[in-house]
Amino acid sequence: MRKPIIAGNWKMNKTLDEAVAFVRDIRHALQQISTVDSVLCPPFVALPAVAEALQATRIGVGAQNMHYEASGAYTGECAPNMLAPFCQYVILGHSERRATFCETDEGVNKKIKAALAHNLTPIVCVGESLDQNEAGQTHDFVSGQVRAAFAGLSAAQAARCIIAYEPIWAIGTGKSASAADAGRIIGLTVRGTMADLYGEETAQAVRIQYGGSANAKNIGEYMQHPDIDGALVGGASLKPEFVEMIQSTAAVKG
Ligand code: 13P
């Protein structure tokens, strides 16, 4: 059985004060839920304070990005060893980083290896654009992203990763993928590609989330799908609604 995992990607939202106040508001409710892993991914500057506010709780902390080098002349970047004291997870290859910050499959692959080397659990994002979806290219494109992300990784390393399937057209649009469609891509394309690469046992061990306009209203439908192991949540993770999503997940899958 894969333990469900709901992660909140705050993106570029919440000041330090807002971040700490929000975490203090929701931590007690989240601490009550042991059957779902919950993770908060604030902006870099809030990581130490959020980690401190969540100390001695079961709630995880994640970064939203990371450089693959340990140090050097990389203005504006953060290294894995700088993040490791404050987090257990790191989101890698989010479509916004691929589109706006020119991240490549090759760079994402290097970041996954660096994260694992520092005992950070990568949340590896994949997903097709609207054009690709409409042209019937979803399977080939997403499968290619998975293959590129995991190039050179062993089965043991792959099993330590989480994958988030986030169709780009569903992110921040209110136009979520149906649970049936998301479950089909996750099962056949993402898990299917992992099975091709590593065999069925590893593929069955990897947790795969859905992301894209997930909220308290629709989370139950996604969680009822046996191949969807949780969600990577943007907008709804900034609000108390996020607690409801984790409670609903526990009710369905717990
Ligand atoms: P929304 O939930 O706001 O659509 O964002 C999804 C996302 O990109 C999470 O990483």
Side-chain angles (χ1 to χ4, degrees), residues 9 11 94 96 166 170-173 211-214 232-236:
N9 175 9
K11 309 191 179 183
H94 191 283
E96 287 153 14
E166 300 201 305
I171 295 178
T173 58
S213 299
L232 184 55
V233 185

Side-chain angles (χ1 to χ4, degrees), residues 130-143:
L130 184 60
D131 284 352
Q132 289 165 328
N133 184 283
E134 288 176 344
Q137 295 164 351
T138 298
H139 174 82
D140 288 351
F141 181 74
V142 173
S143 178

Side-chain angles (χ1 to χ4, degrees), residues 154-174:
S154 69
Q157 287 177 311
R160 289 167 56 201
C161 297
I162 291 161
I163 305 175
Y165 168 61
E166 300 201 305
I168 295 168
W169 48 270
I171 295 178
T173 58

Side-chain angles (χ1 to χ4, degrees), residues 24 30 39 44 49 86 235 239:
R24 288 193 178 139
L30 295 189
V39 181
F44 283 142
F86 308 112
K239 302 180 263 184

Side-chain angles (χ1 to χ4, degrees), residues 179-190 225 227-228:
D181 283 346
R184 186 170 43 80
I185 308 293
I186 286 174
L188 297 179
T189 300
V190 182
H225 198 290
D227 261 310
I228 308 182

